[in-house]
């Protein structure tokens, strides 16, 4: 599967304001600044599609992107990051409520994609998110992001560790050099 075109659709604060689109949807989850926006831009070969930032907590809404491919079109939902963000506890609590509603009630959600930074140990809130997905019977897999910062041997060790702890499929990804883009696209196609 190859991407022909990608468009930003809409930003919404909650599920109620998200458009109903009859396409498979993939929800991107991960700690703040884990590389979700860079993933979208790299996957779609458009560095300006999703806004990237070095400031954690920049994504504050549910950002929807429509991806046209040589196979089937699909939707990517870029969700606010969990973990450290320079926002109030009240705002973080509201994000959590909106995200839970979105993930539990979005009819066309094909899978959740949990991002884990390859440069670091798996964080406590990564484990918590994985457990929450499991308890709520939501399909998910892991993207090991920022693999361009570690050696191939370290990538193999990280994949092994995440598979061991999360018991799910783990795909490496590098936004910098576009390694693994085809593997990710082929994996998404199988889930649609």
């Amino acid at each position: 599967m190859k991407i022909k075109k990608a468009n930003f659709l809409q930003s919404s604060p909650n599920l109620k304001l998200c458009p109903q689109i009859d396409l498979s949807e993939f929800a991107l989850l991960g700690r703040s600044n884990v590389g979700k926006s860079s993933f979208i831009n790299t996957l779609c070969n458009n560095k300006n599609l999703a806004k990237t930032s070095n400031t954690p907590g920049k994504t504050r809404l549910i950002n929807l992107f429509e991806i046209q491919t040589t196979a089937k079109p699909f939707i990517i939902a870029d969700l606010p990051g969990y973990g450290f963000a320079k926002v109030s506890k009240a705002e973080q609590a509201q994000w959590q409520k909106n995200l839970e509603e979105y993930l539990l009630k979005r009819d066309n959600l094909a899978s959740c994609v949990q991002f884990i930074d390859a440069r670091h140990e798996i964080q406590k809130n990564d484990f918590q998110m994985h457990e929450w997905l499991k308890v709520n019977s939501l399909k998910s897999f892991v993207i090991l992001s920022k693999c361009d910062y570690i050696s191939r041997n370290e990538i193999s060790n990280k994949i092994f560790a995440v598979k061991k702890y999360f018991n799910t499929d783990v795909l490496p990804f590098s936004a910098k050099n576009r390694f693994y883009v085809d593997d990710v696209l082929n994996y998404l196609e199988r889930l649609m």
Side-chain angles (χ1 to χ4, degrees):
M1 170 170 83
K2 300 287 183 205
I3 291 180
K4 297 191 294 187
K5 186 178 168 187
N7 297 314
F8 169 74
L9 284 180
Q10 179 177 321
S11 291
S12 304
N14 55 42
L15 175 64
K16 187 169 68 175
L17 296 175
C18 287
Q20 287 299 320
I21 303 165
D22 191 26
L23 295 175
S24 296
E25 193 162 309
F26 298 94
L28 309 188
L29 305 162
R31 291 171 48 82
S32 293
N33 227 24
V34 75
K36 300 187 310 300
S37 298
S38 295
F39 168 82
I40 294 168
N41 291 343
T42 302
L43 201 67
C44 299
N45 201 22
N46 179 346
K47 65 181 180 180
N48 299 314
L49 186 61
K51 291 180 182 157
T52 59
S53 171
N54 289 327
T55 307
K58 204 70 174 170
T59 302
R60 297 181 179 210
L61 301 168
I62 299 166
N63 295 309
L64 300 175
F65 300 86
E66 183 176 2
I67 316 300
Q68 299 290 332
T69 74
T70 52
K72 294 187 246 178
F74 63 93
I75 301 293
I76 288 179
D78 186 13
L79 305 180
Y82 53 83
F84 174 78
K86 292 181 179 178
V87 296
S88 68
K89 295 279 187 214
E91 191 170 357
Q92 284 188 9
Q94 188 61 48
W95 284 358
Q96 184 173 342
K97 179 177 175 268
N98 290 340
L99 293 183
E100 285 182 9
E101 179 186 43
Y102 169 83
L103 293 170
L104 295 173
K105 296 181 180 176
R106 189 68 165 168
D107 293 332
N108 52 331
L109 189 61
S111 182
C112 296
V113 186
Q114 185 176 7
F115 282 71
I116 294 179
D117 190 328
R119 301 170 302 171
H120 308 298
E121 295 301 314
I122 303 168
Q123 303 294 306
K124 181 181 175 184
N125 47 16
D126 291 325
F127 283 110
Q128 290 169 334
M129 175 55 76
H130 176 72
E131 281 304 308
W132 186 87
L133 292 169
K134 205 162 76 172
V135 164
N136 288 287
S137 303
L138 290 168
K139 291 180 187 173
S140 68
F141 67 96
V142 169
I143 293 282
L144 196 59
S145 66
K146 306 196 179 189
C147 284
D148 35 330
Y149 292 97
I150 64 174
S151 72
R152 287 198 182 271
N153 192 39
E154 287 175 294
I155 292 170
S156 297
N157 292 338
K158 285 284 185 173
I159 290 171
F160 179 80
V162 175
K163 278 184 179 178
K164 177 183 166 189
Y165 290 120
F166 285 14
N167 193 27
T168 191
D169 290 335
V170 180
L171 302 175
F173 193 79
S174 165
K176 190 175 177 182
N177 53 30
R178 294 187 51 82
F179 289 160
Y180 317 110
V181 167
D182 289 341
D183 295 339
V184 170
L185 286 171
N186 292 335
Y187 190 88
L188 293 176
E189 184 178 14
R190 289 197 300 271
L191 296 177
M192 289 192 262

